[in-house]
Amino acid sequence: MNFDLHNVELVGQQTPDPLRFAFSRKKSPHAGGMMHSVKGEDIQISLEEAHALAPANTLAPRCLYIHIPFCRVRCTYCNFFQYASSSSLIEGYVAALREEIRWKASQTWTQAAPFQAVYIGGGTPTDLSAKQIHTIVSDIRSQFPLTPDCEITLEGRVNRFGLDKFEAALDAGVNRFSFGVQSFNSHVRRSAKRLDDREDVLKTIQTLVSYNAAPIVLDLLYGLPYQTLDVWQQDLQDYMESGAHGVDLYQLIEMQGLPMAKMVEQGKLPHPADTQMKATMFDMGVKFMARHHQKRLSVNHWASDNRERSIYNSLAKTTAEIMPLGAGAGGNVNGCQMMQTRDMDTYKSAISERRYPVTMLTMAPSNRAVAAEVKSGFDAGVLAQSKLDRVAGIGTFEALIPLFNAWERNGLVYLERGDEAASDTGIEVVSVASGGYVSLTLAGQFWAVTLAQNLIEVLQSNTPTGNSNVIKNEATHVAA
């Protein structure tokens, strides 16, 4: 296996402080593999064929993702904003979405197996009316085959999320709520275009928790302008005070062209935290959660009790198939990785004509499971030799030992070599190592996406694709 151990972009810097200085910056919001692009009219043909076939493995996990592309206000850091909330726009969109739900629910692929998780994201799904929320969730539950314990998440913000909407969602079958709090601090929130002050946010979350009806989960973002270490410490404490059942700690990923970048350039906002400061904030968050005995579900997600399962977020990082619904939704069906159009008129027209509203389609390579195993392993904080070798071939883990050793020397992982075990290949019995693990250090957890992306690229560069027409696979959804 070929890779350059002198490439600091691959192995990191040798530094006394790998948490802050192993790499110059986070490589991307999410790790991804390489996909074969599909062009023109072949998009519709490929999708028709994919949806007309039952999945090869009906026991494999799969999910639904429903996108609601409206927000009252665009947050300064947001890359997902599509349309300002408008009652007339939303009404027309909901009608088209319901039509898409009925159409796609009737297809062979859909009815072949149940879905383990449903995620209604955006945008801001909580900008819908109580009746609209109830209608969409009811349609999903009546039209799609769901497992008895299917996790149904409604994402949104607490702003204008009254108890009428909460109760309508519960009545329809929502059993998990995810709120993008980002920060409780009023000044930080206002500078990021969040619409409620700390006291209102805390009060709303505590009220929803008091229903004892479904897990309430929060997203906190670290690295925002004005978010000092003292503010971040208070954000963590406010999470505990809120009584929420779980929390995600996400680092701010600066992307050019977003409102925040423009406001910083114009002097209207101070610079957000640099990589070193965000590493310090991550360290604080991990230690805080451990001190308060929060159950760690991934490198950036914790639960306060066993009610929070985070099924969708976990499955989305594996080979789970995800059917997308709505303008701007992304997913994958029978090897087709797709992104639906963000343009509202184009979306409505396509649905009314029973055409897939897909503007970008790629076909998963045969080694898609390898990238999925790496992503899910690093998200959980440990990559197992047995699992990697199962999808990438016996001996893959051992071939990567020089890279793992370099990461270990640089303070990013702990490498545990496996025991020797006999493996019968059918031709001869050979001795192979088994039971090895690569566990992420605290620094490795902070750089988990970068390490996963690097490993995926190493594995794919050593695997012939047979097709030069490939593009990098981007994330289909970020719950923030």
Side-chain angles (χ1 to χ4, degrees):
M1 191 167 292
N2 298 315
F3 41 82
D4 182 7
L5 294 178
H6 298 290
N7 180 5
V8 296
E9 294 296 321
L10 172 64
V11 302
Q13 300 271 6
Q14 279 198 326
T15 169
D17 190 358
L19 174 65
R20 295 168 180 81
F21 298 103
F23 298 95
S24 60
R25 59 181 298 173
K26 188 176 180 180
K27 198 158 190 173
S28 62
H30 296 273
M34 305 299 287
M35 312 288 283
H36 303 278
S37 60
V38 177
K39 303 294 184 181
E41 286 303 313
D42 289 341
I43 290 178
Q44 291 297 317
I45 296 172
S46 298
L47 290 172
E48 288 170 4
E49 292 175 348
H51 288 83
L53 295 173
N57 180 8
T58 56
L59 298 179
R62 56 193 195 152
C63 312
L64 291 172
Y65 175 71
I66 299 92
H67 195 70
I68 307 298
F70 302 99
C71 289
R72 284 191 59 213
V73 176
R74 182 180 186 179
C75 298
T76 60
Y77 53 81
C78 182
N79 193 38
F80 295 95
F81 182 84
Q82 289 176 241
Y83 294 95
S85 295
S86 157
S87 57
S88 59
L89 268 180
I90 292 176
E91 184 176 351
Y93 178 75
V94 169
L97 178 61
R98 295 189 68 192
E99 188 175 348
E100 184 185 12
I101 288 172
R102 290 190 294 271
W103 172 40
K104 288 189 174 178
S106 67
Q107 296 174 343
T108 300
W109 180 88
T110 306
Q111 293 296 327
F115 294 83
Q116 284 78 33
V118 176
Y119 198 99
I120 306 170
T124 312
T126 50
D127 275 3
L128 300 177
S129 69
K131 181 179 179 180
Q132 288 166 340
I133 291 172
H134 193 283
T135 296
I136 291 172
V137 177
S138 297
D139 282 353
I140 291 167
R141 293 189 66 210
S142 65
Q143 298 288 326
F144 289 92
L146 308 179
T147 60
D149 65 341
C150 181
E151 176 191 87
I152 304 178
T153 299
L154 180 69
E155 179 190 77
R157 64 174 96 199
V158 298
N159 179 261
R160 294 190 178 180
F161 188 63
L163 294 182
D164 59 331
K165 295 184 180 182
F166 183 56
E167 292 173 357
L170 289 172
D171 184 68
V174 172
N175 54 26
R176 183 178 183 269
F177 295 83
S178 178
F179 293 102
V181 171
Q182 318 313 356
S183 174
F184 285 92
N185 183 273
S186 298
H187 185 46
V188 173
R189 291 179 56 79
R190 293 295 183 179
S191 71
K193 303 299 183 183
R194 306 299 287 180
L195 297 173
D196 293 292
D197 290 332
R198 172 180 178 271
E199 292 72 18
D200 294 328
V201 176
L202 264 176
K203 181 179 179 181
T204 300
I205 296 298
Q206 290 168 341
T207 298
L208 301 182
V209 169
S210 71
Y211 270 63
N212 198 29
I216 308 297
V217 184
L218 311 181
D219 288 343
L220 292 180
L221 196 60
Y222 58 90
L224 291 162
Y226 300 114
Q227 194 180 34
T228 64
L229 294 180
D230 287 341
V231 169
W232 177 236
Q233 179 67 30
Q234 186 61 52
D235 281 334
L236 297 171
Q237 292 171 352
D238 286 344
Y239 155 66
M240 293 298 298
E241 183 179 343
S242 74
H245 301 90
V247 65
D248 283 289
L249 305 184
Y250 292 120
Q251 67 167 296
L252 174 69
I253 303 297
E254 302 167 52
M255 290 174 278
Q256 292 301 313
L258 298 185
M260 179 180 291
K262 294 180 181 178
M263 293 176 73
V264 170
E265 291 174 4
Q266 296 168 355
K268 296 179 180 179
L269 279 179
H271 281 277
D274 60 17
T275 296
Q276 291 71 42
M277 177 62 78
K278 286 186 285 189
T280 298
M281 299 171 95
F282 177 75
D283 185 22
M284 288 174 59
V286 171
K287 291 176 178 176
F288 180 92
M289 296 300 160
R291 185 165 66 253
H292 291 279
H293 301 280
Q294 300 296 287
K295 182 180 179 181
R296 198 169 192 178
L297 301 182
S298 75
V299 294
N300 61 7
H301 188 72
W302 288 262
S304 63
D305 59 30
N306 290 331
R307 296 184 72 180
E308 162 57 348
R309 300 177 295 167
S310 192
I311 293 177
Y312 179 88
N313 290 329
S314 297
L315 290 181
K317 297 179 177 70
T318 69
T319 55
E321 294 185 290
I322 301 174
M323 172 172 273
L325 297 157
N332 56 292
V333 172
N334 263 339
C336 293
Q337 180 91 23
M338 70 200 80
M339 181 65 69
Q340 302 203 153
T341 180
R342 289 189 171 197
D343 183 78
M344 188 69 65
D345 291 335
T346 303
Y347 167 75
K348 290 180 180 178
S349 175
I351 295 302
S352 66
E353 297 170 6
R354 289 294 188 267
R355 289 185 296 107
Y356 295 94
V358 173
T359 54
M360 186 173 72
L361 178 66
T362 55
M363 301 301 293
S366 59
N367 62 352
R368 171 175 172 254
V370 177
E373 185 58 51
V374 171
K375 287 193 296 181
S376 61
F378 278 56
D379 183 63
V382 59
L383 181 69
Q385 177 178 8
S386 59
K387 293 182 178 180
L388 181 63
D389 281 1
R390 185 175 66 244
V391 295
I394 292 176
T396 300
F397 189 94
E398 283 293 315
L400 292 165
I401 291 298
L403 175 59
F404 298 153
N405 281 334
W407 283 347
E408 186 170 46
R409 287 193 299 272
N410 291 341
L412 297 166
V413 305
Y414 300 113
L415 174 61
E416 180 182 344
R417 299 296 293 272
D419 300 325
E420 293 297 313
S423 174
D424 188 351
T425 64
I427 301 175
E428 60 180 341
V429 176
V430 296
S431 180
V432 298
S434 63
Y437 296 92
V438 173
S439 301
L440 302 184
T441 64
L442 177 66
Q445 294 163 16
F446 179 71
W447 296 107
V449 171
T450 298
L451 295 178
Q453 185 63 51
N454 286 350
L455 183 53
I456 289 170
E457 290 175 2
V458 164
L459 290 168
Q460 292 186 333
S461 68
N462 283 273
T463 302
T465 63
N467 187 339
S468 60
N469 187 26
V470 294
I471 62 174
K472 187 173 179 180
N473 174 32
E474 299 295 338
T476 59
H477 173 63
V478 177

